[in-house]
Amino acid sequence: FLFGLAVLIFTGAATWKWGLWERKWDGKTRLTVVVIGADKELSLWSYLPAKQIFTVLPIPRDLFLEAVNEMGKVRAGKLYDLGQIDKRGEELVQFTLQKELGVLIDGINLPPIDMIRFKILKAVKKSETINISGLSELILADGEKVYVLNYDSIDKTISKYFYDPVIENEQAKIIILNATGKEGTGGKLARILTNTGYSVSYIGNKEVFLSRTKITAPYNNTSVNKIRSLMRVNSVEIAPNSADITIEIGTDYLRYQ
């Protein structure tokens, strides 16, 4: 019964919005979302159609994270409330976890119908719960204890449990050019892409800054569309003679770093 209901509910692609941004899941690539519990508990839910495996990664409340958009360091359990100061709680949670864990996240707190779809999928498919390993303890000035990520350790976990074989099989080669003027932005993006299954062949800087991120590719395929979604770019410039996908990171991307 549950399987039949799942098939019925998943007829058509899951759809959600980020403000004016609308994206449809193709049902073939990995889908990863952040779920915020009633008590502000955070977790990543991820489904891999190729292997029909559902993966859950709980986020410890006392995990100490560097929030995006220069919002400072904060416990995971307080991320949402910090973002709500300017009514961007979900955005701060999604992009901080994406940056700190090095994982490509497709959305957060899906609309009710899509959340029902996801929960049914979790119930009828093989499910695994993994934990963040390699954490170290840190005592803050106020005497409170928090946990700090080991980035090498979390990268091994993410690249093992959250990679996308569809992306890996397309063997896309990525060139990253940092046109923001902020050092390290290209490397942070490369980390997310590598953990997902992309091959980053070059990371460099551009002398001329860009206000908007630009993506150039020889064609449009799953790999390109996934990058377009990640970078919040509406269109891709097609260059048939190019052998690689080139990402020129503009300053508009810094709000996610």
Side-chain angles (χ1 to χ4, degrees), residues 38-69:
D39 55 356
K40 306 294 174 59
E41 290 282 352
L42 305 178
S43 58
L44 292 185
W45 289 22
S46 186
Y47 178 60
L48 179 59
K51 294 188 177 181
Q52 298 190 28
I53 296 177
F54 200 100
T55 303
V56 176
L57 178 68
I59 309 298
R61 291 183 62 87
D62 290 327
L63 184 62
F64 208 41
L65 303 169
E66 181 73 46
V68 297
N69 208 16

Side-chain angles (χ1 to χ4, degrees), residues 3-225:
F3 179 76
L5 186 58
V7 172
L8 176 63
I9 289 178
F10 266 83
T11 299
T15 304
W16 62 94
K17 293 184 178 180
W18 293 292
L20 297 177
W21 185 281
E22 184 178 90
R23 179 182 186 276
K24 292 184 177 180
W25 180 47
D26 60 10
K28 298 177 182 178
T29 56
R30 177 181 287 281
L31 177 65
T32 300
V33 301
V34 182
V35 175
I36 303 178
D39 55 356
K40 306 294 174 59
E41 290 282 352
L42 305 178
S43 58
L44 292 185
W45 289 22
S46 186
Y47 178 60
L48 179 59
K51 294 188 177 181
Q52 298 190 28
I53 296 177
F54 200 100
T55 303
V56 176
L57 178 68
I59 309 298
R61 291 183 62 87
D62 290 327
L63 184 62
F64 208 41
L65 303 169
E66 181 73 46
V68 297
N69 208 16
E70 299 183 343
M71 294 290 282
K73 292 187 176 181
V74 61
R75 292 177 174 87
K78 295 183 177 180
L79 256 180
Y80 180 81
D81 290 337
L82 176 63
Q84 280 300 93
I85 293 174
D86 58 1
K87 307 301 181 184
R88 292 181 176 178
E90 291 188 354
E91 179 180 293
L92 189 70
V93 169
Q94 177 178 342
F95 297 117
T96 296
L97 292 182
Q98 181 168 266
K99 174 183 72 74
E100 289 288 86
L101 301 181
V103 59
L104 196 158
I105 299 175
D106 298 292
I108 182 169
N109 271 11
L110 302 182
I113 184 61
D114 287 328
M115 202 64 222
I116 292 173
R117 291 169 174 166
F118 226 33
K119 287 180 178 179
I120 291 176
L121 194 63
K122 182 175 180 289
V124 300
K125 300 296 184 181
K126 178 182 176 182
S127 181
E128 59 184 3
T129 298
I130 59 175
N131 294 304
I132 298 176
S133 60
L135 298 178
S136 57
E137 294 183 0
L138 174 67
I139 305 300
L140 301 180
D142 60 5
E144 293 292 321
K145 180 173 68 175
V146 294
Y147 298 96
V148 180
L149 285 169
N150 178 307
Y151 290 105
D152 288 337
S153 179
I154 190 61
D155 282 347
K156 290 178 182 177
T157 298
I158 297 301
S159 61
K160 178 178 179 179
Y161 292 101
F162 289 85
Y163 86 103
D164 192 333
V166 174
I167 300 299
E168 189 175 52
N169 291 339
E170 288 187 347
Q171 298 182 331
K173 304 293 183 183
I174 311 296
I175 294 174
I176 298 175
L177 299 177
N178 181 9
T180 68
K182 186 175 181 178
E183 187 177 352
T185 302
K188 291 176 182 178
L189 175 60
R191 177 177 170 234
I192 296 171
L193 294 175
T194 300
N195 286 344
T196 304
Y198 290 94
S199 175
V200 177
S201 58
Y202 178 78
I203 305 172
N205 297 307
K206 289 196 70 172
E207 293 183 1
V208 179
F209 295 168
L210 295 178
S211 61
R212 290 186 175 275
T213 297
K214 178 182 177 182
I215 300 173
T216 306
Y219 40 68
N220 248 330
N221 64 0
T222 301
S223 296
V224 174
N225 287 329

